[in-house]
């Protein structure tokens, strides 16, 4: 393909942020607000079916504490909880405890060296993206991405294709010139919906999900000295994802 741009999801794709990142931050926000809500690892896996933190909190309340929905200032309560959650999450990222997944930095550097364009298309809050990138790659990395489509920039979150369509429109690029990188079924539904070929790197929460239509499904992007596992597709003799592999898709 005439590959011109790579578009990355963030949570679960650039880094394993959900179980030991977002989940902890949600729980800290609940505790701080005096709520006895607690999302354990298994429950959080179920709640991940709903993309977006505010949407996830509302879904939880609807199912477990429906009476709260009737409060006049319910939306404001959720917004405040989510604001506090974002503070906890970005503080956690600042500790450097959440690294990038294998191969992410290498592929970004290779893409930059080759003059490919880079973008982000994520459901997460913009501050979370800038915190992750700056604490893993350095402040400079924020300028590597010409479009950072994040959070509420489009009202319909993944699996709707809107966030990818918005990104393509900003880049003035057709989907045939781009590849998307995703980790989840909601994510690939969104990218495929926008007409993008998609490479999936799974994680513990998403391993059993459906990735029909993916160009490749892999354990991770791999490194030359520590290859990745291919679950679907063909790395053409390579043990990791590089631009040669991607251009052949
Ligand atoms: C990621 C999400 C996000 C994060 C939380 O989905 O669903 O909601 O879990 O971020 P994807 P916020 O990787 O498919 O974009 O709390 O900032 O919404
Ligand atoms: Mg994701």
């Amino acid at each position: 393909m005439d590959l011109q741009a790579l578009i990355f999801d963030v949570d679960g794709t650039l880094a394993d942020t959900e179980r030991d990142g977002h989940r902890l931050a949600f729980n800290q926000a609940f505790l701080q607000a005096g709520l006895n809500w607690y999302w354990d690892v298994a429950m959080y896996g179920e709640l991940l079916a709903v993309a977006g933190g505010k949407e996830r909190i509302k879904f939880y309340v609807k199912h477990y504490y429906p009476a709260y929905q009737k409060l006049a200032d319910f939306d404001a309560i959720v917004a405040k909880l989510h604001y506090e959650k974002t503070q906890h999450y970005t503080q956690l990222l600042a500790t450097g405890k959440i690294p990038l997944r294998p191969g992410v930095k290498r592929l970004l550097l290779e893409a930059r060296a080759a003059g490919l364009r880079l973008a982000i298309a994520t459901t997460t809050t913009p501050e979370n993206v800038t915190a992750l990138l700056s604490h893993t790659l350095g402040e400079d990395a924020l300028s590597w991405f010409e479009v950072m489509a994040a959070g509420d920039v489009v009202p319909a979150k993944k699996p709707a294709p809107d966030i990818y369509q918005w990104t393509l429109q900003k880049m003035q690029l057709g989907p045939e010139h781009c590849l998307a990188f995703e980790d989840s079924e909601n994510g690939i539904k969104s990218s495929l919906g926008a007409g993008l070929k998609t490479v999936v790197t799974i994680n513990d929460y998403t391993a059993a999900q459906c990735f029909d239509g993916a160009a490749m499904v892999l354990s991770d992007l791999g490194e030359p000295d520590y290859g990745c596992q291919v679950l679907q597709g063909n790395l053409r003799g390579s043990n990791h994802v590089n631009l040669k592999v991607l251009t052949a898709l």
Side-chain angles (χ1 to χ4, degrees):
M1 68 187 287
D2 173 23
L3 183 60
Q4 296 180 25
L6 307 182
I7 310 176
F8 290 87
D9 168 50
V10 174
D11 294 305
T13 300
L14 293 185
D16 258 322
T17 50
E18 295 291 7
R19 193 191 68 185
D20 300 327
H22 289 294
R23 185 181 70 88
L24 304 191
F26 281 113
N27 284 333
Q28 277 175 300
F30 300 152
L31 191 66
Q32 187 183 1
L35 296 162
N36 66 344
W37 304 352
Y38 179 75
W39 293 356
D40 65 24
V41 172
M43 175 187 272
Y44 192 67
E46 287 164 28
L47 293 171
L48 279 175
V50 180
K54 292 187 287 293
E55 293 80 357
R56 193 168 297 143
I57 294 171
K58 285 184 177 171
F59 176 87
Y60 172 76
V61 170
K62 186 176 167 193
H63 284 84
Y64 293 90
Y65 299 97
Y68 276 88
Q69 295 179 111
K70 298 200 183 81
L71 296 174
D73 53 351
F74 178 59
D75 278 352
I77 293 171
V78 172
K80 169 92 169 94
L81 272 176
H82 189 253
Y83 171 82
E84 296 299 342
K85 176 259 166 178
T86 301
Q87 308 314 304
H88 290 298
Y89 179 69
T90 51
Q91 279 163 24
L92 197 136
L93 289 179
T95 66
K97 282 189 188 129
I98 301 194
L100 295 179
R101 295 191 65 188
V104 169
K105 181 176 182 182
R106 175 187 52 74
L107 185 62
L108 288 173
L109 292 175
E110 190 187 350
R112 272 172 61 71
L116 287 189
R117 299 164 68 186
L118 298 174
I120 294 282
T122 175
T123 305
T124 207
T125 302
E127 292 97 296
N128 299 346
V129 185
T130 50
L132 180 71
L133 293 177
S134 57
H135 294 300
T136 53
L137 295 168
E139 287 285 323
D140 190 43
L142 301 177
S143 67
W144 298 1
F145 299 87
E146 67 173 85
V147 174
M148 251 192 224
D152 300 325
V153 66
V154 290
K157 296 197 168 165
K158 297 174 186 177
D162 303 38
I163 193 80
Y164 279 102
Q165 287 166 340
W166 192 88
T167 305
L168 290 172
Q169 203 202 349
K170 285 272 165 205
M171 296 177 95
Q172 291 285 293
L173 264 179
E176 68 277 14
H177 299 302
C178 310
L179 281 174
F181 292 81
E182 274 288 353
D183 71 302
S184 70
E185 189 172 342
N186 274 340
I188 192 177
K189 278 187 181 155
S190 174
S191 57
L192 291 181
L196 288 153
K197 278 188 187 162
T198 305
V199 174
V200 173
T201 50
I202 58 162
N203 57 57
D204 285 350
Y205 273 136
T206 66
Q209 293 180 352
C210 170
F211 296 116
D212 287 353
M216 281 195 290
V217 182
L218 308 160
S219 56
D220 52 79
L221 296 175
E223 297 286 10
D225 56 356
Y226 192 78
C228 57
Q229 244 181 296
V230 181
L231 306 165
Q232 190 181 308
N234 190 345
L235 276 179
R236 295 166 186 274
S238 175
N239 70 346
H240 62 280
V241 173
N242 54 29
L243 288 190
K244 195 169 164 221
V245 169
L246 296 179
T247 313
L249 287 175

